[in-house]
Amino acid sequence: AQTVTQSQPEMSVQEAETVTLSCTYDTSESDYYLFWYKQPPSRQMILVIRQEAYKQQNATENRFSVNFQKAAKSFSLKISDSQLGDAAMYFCAYEATDSGYALNFGKGTSLLVTP
Amino acid sequence: GAVVSQHPSRVICKSGTSVKIECRSLDFQATTMFWYRQFPKQSLMLMATSNEGSKATYEQGVEKDKFLINHASLTLSTLTVTSAHPEDSSFYICSAHWGDLPEQFFGPGTRLTVL
């Protein structure tokens, strides 16, 4: 079974600064998807960014970007110009292409943004 | 687009009663729906996967007779917690998948409290 590890239970960043959240995963598959989801206090899961394993180029969505290191099985999320609204739980998730779209989540990182 | 609703958003019931939670895809037809449980300060744990018109596939350790899932149409899946007990109190989240995109779209969740 694939495992997803988020080694940072909590992180803190000052407004306008940059923060990086770590995620590693274990798999024997060569083709898969990786995601970062955000869960604010409302508890609504929001897709932040997606990365296809076959793509070498790191995904970017506005202030959010990833550093995908396939050989190292690492998938970190960088948030630039942090805003107060970025405060939330962030979950890294893995999906095998033959899994029927089932997601395997990490334990999450709680991000605090200070003014 | 890709909106998923859940009803009710919050329910309180007495021990021994059954509770039904509905999950609807509002603007698309969901080929697959997923049910997750999330305990406080923990990650999402997949309970089961359901496809329209077929029996749900339950994850190991999830009692299928206690957590009844019905996927009657491409836009509706229901989770019934039968003979609920206080330990079933949790946050239940559904998600739906459609088309060729790998990501899931999540409902807002249902907070179940069993007294």
Side-chain angles (χ1 to χ4, degrees), chain A residues 33 35 37 39 42-45 47 50 52 91 95 100-103 105-108, chain B residues 32 34 36 38-39 42-44 46 91 93 97 99 101-104 106-108 111:
Chain A
Y33 298 96
F35 304 87
Y37 278 91
Q39 188 180 42
S42 68
R43 304 193 78 170
Q44 171 73 59
M45 294 289 284
L47 177 64
R50 175 187 83 206
E52 292 89 342
F91 292 100
E95 178 188 303
Y101 307 103
L103 290 171
F105 287 94
K107 290 187 175 182
Chain B
T32 306
F34 303 87
Y36 297 86
Q38 185 180 31
F39 291 108
Q42 294 190 22
S43 187
L44 282 73
L46 180 65
F91 194 66
I93 306 175
H97 175 269
L101 295 175
E103 54 260 37
Q104 299 176 16
F106 286 83
R111 180 178 300 282

Side-chain angles (χ1 to χ4, degrees), chain A residues 92-103:
Chain A
C92 178
Y94 169 99
E95 178 188 303
T97 53
D98 61 353
S99 67
Y101 307 103
L103 290 171

Side-chain angles (χ1 to χ4, degrees), chain B residues 49-70:
Chain B
T49 303
S50 74
N51 294 291
E52 184 262 343
S54 62
K55 290 184 178 180
T57 302
Y58 290 82
E59 295 299 302
Q60 192 172 8
V62 178
E63 300 175 57
K64 63 180 181 180
D65 294 331
K66 181 169 185 62
F67 298 99
L68 300 179
I69 292 172
N70 183 275

